């Protein structure tokens, strides 16, 4: 990732003023400690749950192939760097959504009138390769971004009418969506909302391995007791 984008992410993360979930042992979540937070709060517990559910023989086979994991006392431990190597390359390069050549689908989302595709970040507008006369984003873009970004309504300008119950899932091997996205959503809901958030070990983009638990959770938060007899 270019140094400029790294710096912008660090600035953005600090601006959100998010704290680690209760019991995590983490206070402010920053670009410096987020890797450790993800490992301790989500990834190691996810691997532990997955490995615990395996038979002894299947667990031994998996660990023999996945040597970066240390299995001791019924818990999985590993480093962030080894985990990243395990997952492999990201599916999308940076900048992920606002392509310099306006070729990303997201550029089309921000099209307006007869302009099919537009930049929506200052970084990509500045580095545009299509020959645009202006290197700035259009004046209407910031408000459109506010409408589309959940973090704006959860951390920047808190919406009191937001949902108070959140079910968030992501696969640990998801190479499309950054692991920070869902973790930030969960941390932002430290507003007092109920958050049920975890990562599916070794699952990819769009994984949904516990639909039954989701239905049970819906019944719990809504007070649904089943059909009347």
């Amino acid at each position: 990732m270019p140094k400029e984008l790294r710096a912008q992410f660090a600035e953005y993360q600090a601006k959100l003023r998010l704290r680690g979930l209760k019991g995590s042992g983490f206070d402010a979540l920053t670009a410096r400690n987020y890797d450790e937070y993800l490992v301790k709060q989500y990834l190691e517990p996810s691997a532990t749950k997955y490995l615990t559910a395996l038979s002894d023989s299947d667990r031994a086979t998996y660990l023999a192939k996945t040597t970066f994991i240390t299995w001791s006392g019924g818990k999985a431990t590993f480093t962030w760097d080894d985990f990243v190597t395990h997952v492999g390359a990201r599916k999308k390069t940076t900048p992920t959504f606002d392509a310099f050549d306006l070729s990303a689908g997201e550029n089309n989302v921000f099209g307006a009138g007869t302009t099919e595709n537009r930049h929506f970040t200052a970084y990509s507008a500045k580095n545009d390769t299509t020959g645009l006369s202006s290197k700035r984003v259009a004046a209407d873009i910031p408000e459109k971004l506010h409408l589309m970004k959940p973090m704006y309504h959860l951390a920047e300008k808190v919406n009191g009418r937001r949902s108070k119950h959140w079910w968030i899932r992501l696969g640990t091997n998801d190479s499309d969506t950054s692991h920070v996205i869902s973790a930030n959503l969960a941390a932002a809901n430290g507003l007092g909302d109920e958050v049920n958030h975890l990562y599916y070990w070794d699952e990819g983009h769009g994984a949904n391995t516990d639909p039954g638990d989701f239905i049970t959770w819906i019944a719990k938060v809504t007070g649904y007791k089943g059909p009347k007899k």
Side-chain angles (χ1 to χ4, degrees):
M1 179 186 294
K3 289 184 178 180
E4 187 175 352
L5 284 182
R6 287 177 181 268
Q8 287 185 20
F9 170 71
E11 181 181 355
Y12 169 76
Q13 188 65 43
K15 182 181 177 181
L16 293 176
R17 298 181 179 179
L18 299 179
R19 297 288 185 269
L21 294 181
K22 185 177 181 180
S24 68
F26 286 79
D27 190 18
L29 295 178
T30 69
R32 288 188 175 185
N33 68 7
Y34 221 119
D35 53 353
E36 185 180 0
Y37 176 68
L38 286 172
V39 169
K40 297 302 179 184
Q41 179 65 22
Y42 293 111
L43 300 177
E44 287 181 345
S46 175
T48 296
K49 180 179 180 180
Y50 173 82
L51 289 166
T52 299
L54 297 178
S55 66
D56 290 344
S57 60
D58 286 345
R59 186 185 310 115
T61 299
Y62 182 86
L63 290 170
K65 295 186 299 181
T66 318
T67 56
F68 78 95
I69 296 177
T70 297
W71 180 254
S72 178
K75 293 184 178 181
T77 58
F78 45 84
T79 67
W80 171 255
D81 288 342
D82 285 340
F83 169 74
V84 171
T85 299
H86 171 69
V87 173
R90 303 297 298 173
K91 185 175 181 180
K92 299 179 180 180
T93 57
T94 54
T96 305
F97 301 115
D98 191 354
F100 293 159
D101 63 358
L102 293 171
S103 63
E106 290 76 13
N107 291 121
N108 181 251
V109 170
F110 290 93
T114 58
T115 303
E116 186 174 2
N117 305 300
R118 295 193 299 170
H119 288 299
F120 51 93
T121 65
Y123 178 80
S124 289
K126 183 179 70 174
N127 291 283
D128 174 77
T129 60
T130 68
L132 292 177
S133 58
S134 174
K135 294 291 185 177
R136 297 182 179 181
V137 297
D140 65 304
I141 291 293
E143 182 58 29
K144 285 184 170 60
L145 286 172
H146 290 163
L147 293 173
M148 298 182 68
K149 288 172 55 179
M151 294 306 296
Y152 176 77
H153 303 281
L154 294 172
E156 297 178 48
K157 188 176 181 180
V158 178
N159 185 345
R161 295 180 295 172
R162 70 190 180 281
S163 170
K164 301 302 191 297
H165 305 279
W166 298 77
W167 177 276
I168 307 172
R169 296 292 188 267
L170 195 73
T172 61
N173 281 15
D174 191 330
S175 60
D176 290 76
T177 305
S178 167
H179 292 61
V180 171
I181 300 301
S182 62
N184 266 355
L185 282 172
N189 282 302
L191 296 167
D193 301 345
E194 179 199 4
V195 180
N196 191 311
H197 178 217
L198 59 79
Y199 293 75
Y200 302 125
W201 185 254
D202 271 356
E203 295 291 342
H205 190 63
N208 178 30
T209 65
D210 58 349
D213 291 341
F214 178 49
I215 299 303
T216 300
W217 177 80
I218 291 175
K220 177 183 176 182
V221 300
T222 60
Y224 180 69
K225 303 297 183 182
K228 294 182 179 180
K229 297 182 180 180

